[in-house]
Amino acid sequence: MRKVLSIILSSLTWNSRYVLSFTKESSLSILKPSHYRQSMELHRSSNDGNSFFRYIACMSGSGRCSYDSPEEFVDRRTATTGLVSAFMGICSASLLRPITSSEAAVGTLPEFSDTNAVIQGVTVNVADSTQFYNMVDFLREGFGFKVLRQSVTGSVSSVWLGFGPEQMSVPSDFVIPVSSFGTYGGHASIEVRFDAKATETFYDGVKVEGTNIAYLQVGVPGYRISQMMKYGGNVKDAFGLVNVISPAGIPFRSIVGISPDPIMFIAIYTSNVAESCAFYESLGIMKQQYPYARLGSGTGQFEPPQPKGSIYLSTSPNSMGILLLPTEKKKARLTPNPAFNALRVVYNPSDQSDTQSTQNLQVTDPSSINISFVPYSRFEAEERIGSEAAQKEQAQ
């Protein structure tokens, strides 16, 4: 199916320039005047829970678990333009039919019907408002990300960016074979997070701290190196593909091509690939075929093949995944990149009391990667509120 998708997509044109108009409304918003502030109230309850993943994390010899403060995971993600209408035309309605809640583990998308945990995106820390502005514009102007939502809670300001709807169901306006795959549900997002009270410098603009994050790979129809550099990106090389350090200190790799979700995967170094693979499989994130954004499947100069000894895992061939990369030394000691806050995962708890928790369960993988979990029911409610607020904002 992936090969068929790639063949069809290669003949399509996708305009990667996105123009958004925003206005600054108050001192609470740290976005530039060219951005907008969209306020919303997120409803939470006070009970503790998360027993399902607490059990997995604490019983695993390779993981550690703790709780963090509440985070808003969900938002309205506006649709991207021009991607895979032709592909949808060759798929039968039965293949893409919405499944019932009783059949689904997380949501009602067919892709997620057999899993209890879905990779929803990543959260990135920034140290100050300038770095915040630069990171947002680096993603928007450099790669074509869209601003999906922003949230201000106390001293913490967050903006989510991505390429398509996050909702884990088929959007009501998605029509076969008219709609593009960019308007389908289940897309990942990048949250840029700034805490005005924090004193830590996550990235000084020169040296990337930590050794556990290799890069975050995106597959987009086009990128603009001049804009990456304009907003603080440090381009390492650009021979057929681009490797760049983002203004937040997270390495990015961009491939010119088409992917069902342009946020393809996060590549993580590990000193024991088998151990890390077992850890993620225990969370319901399973081995998948390595994804490519171009027809050559790694045989050309514009997209490298799957790294030797690596393992790719995801919850669906069409969604964001994880690439486990072996370190050069088998017993190398990995240190966390402070700019990488967490890998976000939405899950459906076996204990329904988990859905009432106001805190996200934190699990740490063998490479010191933080994984933050949010119950699906809370994700669904917050995503719906964010979607409605975004639609009202756009209508004004």
Side-chain angles (χ1 to χ4, degrees):
M1 184 66 70
R2 181 175 293 278
K3 291 182 178 179
V4 175
L5 175 61
S6 298
I7 292 172
I8 294 173
L9 291 179
S10 66
S11 65
L12 300 179
T13 299
W14 188 6
N15 178 9
S16 62
R17 286 286 294 142
Y18 302 95
V19 179
L20 301 175
S21 297
F22 308 113
T23 59
K24 186 173 181 179
E25 294 182 3
S26 75
S27 59
L28 290 177
S29 174
I30 62 173
L31 292 181
K32 288 181 176 178
S34 60
H35 297 166
Y36 77 97
R37 177 164 180 262
Q38 174 182 301
S39 301
M40 64 181 63
E41 184 70 23
L42 300 177
H43 304 286
R44 304 182 181 90
S45 55
S46 59
N47 294 329
D48 191 15
N50 297 299
S51 59
F52 177 75
F53 278 100
R54 184 192 303 111
Y55 171 80
I56 289 179
C58 295
M59 293 302 291
S60 170
S62 57
R64 302 192 303 273
C65 61
S66 63
Y67 284 95
D68 67 349
S69 59
E71 298 175 10
E72 293 76 34
F73 275 11
V74 290
D75 55 271
R76 167 59 176 169
R77 309 218 303 173
T78 54
T80 58
T81 58
L83 169 63
V84 332
S85 344
F87 167 67
M88 305 314 298
I90 67 169
C91 295
S92 69
S94 61
L95 176 63
L96 294 175
R97 71 176 180 87
I99 56 179
T100 65
S101 298
S102 60
E103 292 176 296
V106 178
T108 57
L109 289 174
E111 294 91 332
F112 302 148
S113 63
D114 59 351
T115 183
N116 199 54
V118 175
I119 299 172
Q120 203 275 318
V122 299
T123 298
V124 175
N125 294 321
V126 294
D128 54 48
S129 59
T130 298
Q131 200 174 61
F132 182 92
Y133 304 150
N134 285 340
M135 185 63 184
V136 171
D137 285 334
F138 169 85
L139 296 173
R140 290 178 61 245
E141 302 299 333
F143 303 99
F145 279 75
K146 287 188 175 183
V147 173
L148 308 170
R149 177 174 66 91
Q150 71 178 77
S151 171
V152 178
T153 305
S155 63
V156 178
S157 299
S158 290
V159 170
W160 287 258
L161 302 100
F163 292 91
E166 288 180 289
Q167 66 183 78
M168 295 179 187
S169 60
V170 178
S172 59
D173 57 355
F174 182 84
V175 180
I176 299 174
V178 178
S179 301
S180 72
F181 199 80
T183 63
Y184 194 61
H187 284 76
S189 67
I190 297 176
E191 177 192 2
V192 182
R193 183 179 185 274
F194 168 50
D195 186 346
K197 292 184 178 180
T199 58
E200 182 176 1
T201 300
F202 306 107
Y203 174 57
D204 62 7
V206 179
K207 181 182 178 181
V208 176
E209 301 293 338
T211 57
N212 61 348
I213 300 295
Y215 53 87
L216 193 155
Q217 179 162 314
V218 295
V220 293
Y223 51 71
R224 303 172 69 200
I225 294 177
S226 63
Q227 296 302 300
M228 297 179 200
M229 298 175 66
K230 178 180 178 180
Y231 294 108
N234 182 7
V235 177
K236 310 304 289 185
D237 58 71
F239 301 101
L241 54 89
V242 64
N243 288 299
V244 56
I245 307 300
S246 70
I250 301 296
F252 273 68
R253 171 174 290 179
S254 182
I255 308 293
V256 175
I258 300 294
S259 177
D261 191 337
I263 305 176
M264 296 178 68
F265 57 77
I266 182 74
I268 299 169
Y269 284 120
T270 173
S271 58
N272 189 325
V273 173
E275 178 188 23
S276 294
C277 180
F279 175 86
Y280 282 103
E281 287 182 329
S282 74
L283 301 180
I285 302 170
M286 312 304 290
K287 293 179 183 177
Q288 302 279 355
Q289 182 178 353
Y290 182 79
Y292 290 101
R294 299 179 66 89
L295 290 176
S297 297
T299 59
Q301 62 176 326
F302 300 110
E303 185 173 25
Q306 179 174 2
K308 183 179 180 180
S310 66
I311 293 178
Y312 177 75
L313 305 99
S314 183
T315 47
S316 163
N318 294 330
S319 59
M320 179 184 175
I322 300 167
L323 181 65
L324 300 176
L325 295 171
T327 55
E328 292 184 5
K329 297 181 180 180
K330 291 185 178 181
K331 296 184 179 181
R333 181 178 177 274
L334 295 170
T335 57
N337 184 327
F340 189 87
N341 182 288
L343 177 72
R344 303 195 313 272
V345 174
V346 172
Y347 76 108
N348 200 13
S350 57
D351 184 347
Q352 291 306 308
S353 66
D354 293 4
T355 62
Q356 301 175 354
S357 174
T358 62
Q359 295 182 324
N360 299 322
L361 174 65
Q362 285 277 351
V363 176
T364 303
D365 84 346
S367 298
S368 298
I369 298 294
N370 289 330
I371 307 169
S372 191
F373 294 91
V374 62
Y376 171 68
S377 61
R378 174 147 53 94
F379 171 90
E380 184 180 37
E382 293 176 356
E383 194 279 335
R384 184 174 61 253
I385 294 171
S387 175
E388 292 173 353
Q391 290 174 354
K392 291 179 181 179
E393 185 73 28
Q394 293 169 6
Q396 294 179 355

